[in-house]
Amino acid sequence: MHQAVAELAAERGYGAFTVGDVAARARVADTSIYRRWGSLEALSADVALTWLTESSPIPDTGNLRDDLRAYAAGVARDVSGPSGLAVLRLVIALAAAGEPGIAARDRFIAERGGQMRQMLDRAAARGEPTPSTLDIVDHVLAPLYVRVLFGLGPLTSEYADDLVDRLLRA
Amino acid sequence: MHQAVAELAAERGYGAFTVGDVAARARVADTSIYRRWGSLEALSADVALTWLTESSPIPDTGNLRDDLRAYAAGVARDVSGPSGLAVLRLVIALAAAGEPGIAARDRFIAERGGQMRQMLDRAAARGEPTPSTLDIVDHVLAPLYVRVLFGLGPLTSEYADDLVDRLLRA
């Protein structure tokens, strides 16, 4: 089911396929999708989160700068590829459809935010100065996302490193 | 025509209406849209740019900090409303549809970038230290856009001011 959604999102974009399309591709009945996920939005958010957690696990290197650099480099690599870009567009599109897309998006954000917070809590426990999760969103994730969404050049690992260094200097 | 596109984008989201829908709402023939704009993508980018230029003109206060603060506050206000959010989603969605959407998006970005550059050129001519347009995208526009796209709280003018101050300190 996950693969079917990821393929359809990459091929057509979110909003351009239905539960019926997913069911046909995964060779299951529509009703089994509704029974397990309740809606296309909930299934899509689940797929996006699983994909992201597997492809970009939150790093644990022993110091925050290296954690953040590894994390930023992973995000830069992911969103530069077709699957990662499709996930990013999916999360954005979820909310455009109103409820229950907004609820699915918010669950996704809360889950991913919780993972980031674990990284920050470990740094704080080591006595390192730590930014907030919103600081990371604002000054590391947001530039990466917007550059790729607006086609503003390739995301190199040097650029991702610079974003992290700038955040930790601020 | 502009109003028809803006209404349809706000009501349904981009990708969920056709040239035929625009023509019907604006009470013109499909052919006159194709003759003038060539595609729905080009028309949409034109609408987005016109709306943005009118609602958020590039400020000219006499100093860069106030220019940027006025600009950031305007963007924060715009994307917090339904029309501005629809335009932001439209520019993002343009590229997801492949060509000619990508060309339309790039024209939009280039035009808006040129307007920002005028603001920076004026500051440089006054001898003020100036960031690049990409710095403004990365650290002022991107956080505003991503917070609203991901539903991460209201965009206050204090927050927009902080983004500008942080950029000018860096």
Side-chain angles (χ1 to χ4, degrees):
Chain A
M1 217 88 82
H2 276 220
Q3 199 188 334
V5 172
E7 284 174 11
L8 287 164
E11 286 167 24
R12 305 192 197 168
Y14 187 80
F17 60 91
T18 63
V19 166
D21 294 327
V22 177
R25 182 153 320 198
R27 298 177 192 213
V28 300
D30 291 25
T31 46
S32 56
I33 295 181
Y34 284 114
R35 199 164 45 235
R36 175 143 173 217
W37 281 279
S39 71
L40 182 60
E41 286 78 10
L43 169 57
S44 301
D46 188 19
V47 169
L49 195 58
T50 302
W51 181 85
L52 205 60
T53 305
E54 282 170 4
S55 72
S56 306
I58 301 283
D60 185 8
T61 64
N63 76 82
L64 184 61
R65 182 179 306 267
D66 288 336
D67 278 1
L68 284 171
R69 281 180 160 215
Y71 178 58
V75 170
R77 188 192 59 232
D78 287 344
V79 296
S80 298
S83 305
L85 184 53
V87 166
L88 179 57
R89 288 195 171 123
L90 188 153
V91 175
I92 290 170
L94 277 174
E99 293 292 356
I102 292 175
R105 177 201 64 184
D106 289 349
R107 225 167 25 245
F108 176 91
I109 303 279
E111 178 74 24
R112 197 69 182 158
Q115 295 172 355
M116 263 198 273
R117 207 144 33 234
Q118 290 174 23
M119 176 169 70
L120 295 173
D121 286 347
R122 285 195 302 265
R126 290 189 300 261
E128 298 181 61
T130 55
S132 70
T133 53
L134 268 179
D135 283 332
I136 299 174
V137 171
D138 281 347
H139 297 289
V140 179
L141 298 183
L144 294 170
Y145 290 169
V146 165
R147 281 203 180 196
V148 78
L149 289 170
F150 288 180
L152 297 170
L155 303 179
T156 64
S157 62
E158 291 74 27
Y159 169 64
D161 284 351
D162 283 346
L163 291 174
V164 170
D165 292 347
R166 184 173 177 136
L167 171 69
L168 293 180
R169 266 199 314 273
Chain B
M1 215 88 80
H2 276 221
Q3 198 187 336
V5 171
E7 284 175 10
L8 287 164
E11 286 168 23
R12 304 190 198 171
Y14 186 80
F17 59 91
T18 64
V19 166
D21 294 327
V22 177
R25 180 151 326 195
R27 298 177 192 214
V28 300
D30 291 22
T31 47
S32 56
I33 293 181
Y34 284 114
R35 200 163 44 236
R36 176 143 173 218
W37 281 279
S39 71
L40 182 60
E41 285 78 11
L43 169 57
S44 300
D46 188 20
V47 169
L49 195 59
T50 302
W51 181 84
L52 207 59
T53 305
E54 282 171 3
S55 72
S56 306
I58 301 284
D60 184 10
T61 64
N63 76 83
L64 185 60
R65 182 178 306 267
D66 288 337
D67 278 1
L68 284 171
R69 282 180 161 216
Y71 178 59
V75 170
R77 189 194 57 234
D78 287 344
V79 297
S80 299
S83 305
L85 184 53
V87 166
L88 179 57
R89 289 196 170 123
L90 187 153
V91 175
I92 289 170
L94 277 173
E99 293 292 356
I102 292 175
R105 177 202 64 185
D106 289 350
R107 229 171 19 249
F108 176 90
I109 303 280
E111 177 74 25
R112 198 67 181 159
Q115 294 173 355
M116 264 198 273
R117 209 146 30 235
Q118 291 174 20
M119 176 168 69
L120 295 173
D121 287 347
R122 285 196 302 265
R126 289 189 300 261
E128 299 180 61
T130 55
S132 69
T133 53
L134 268 180
D135 284 332
I136 299 174
V137 171
D138 281 347
H139 297 287
V140 179
L141 297 184
L144 293 170
Y145 290 168
V146 165
R147 281 204 180 197
V148 78
L149 289 170
F150 289 180
L152 297 170
L155 303 178
T156 63
S157 62
E158 291 74 26
Y159 169 64
D161 284 351
D162 283 346
L163 291 173
V164 169
D165 292 347
R166 185 173 176 135
L167 170 70
L168 294 179
R169 265 199 316 272

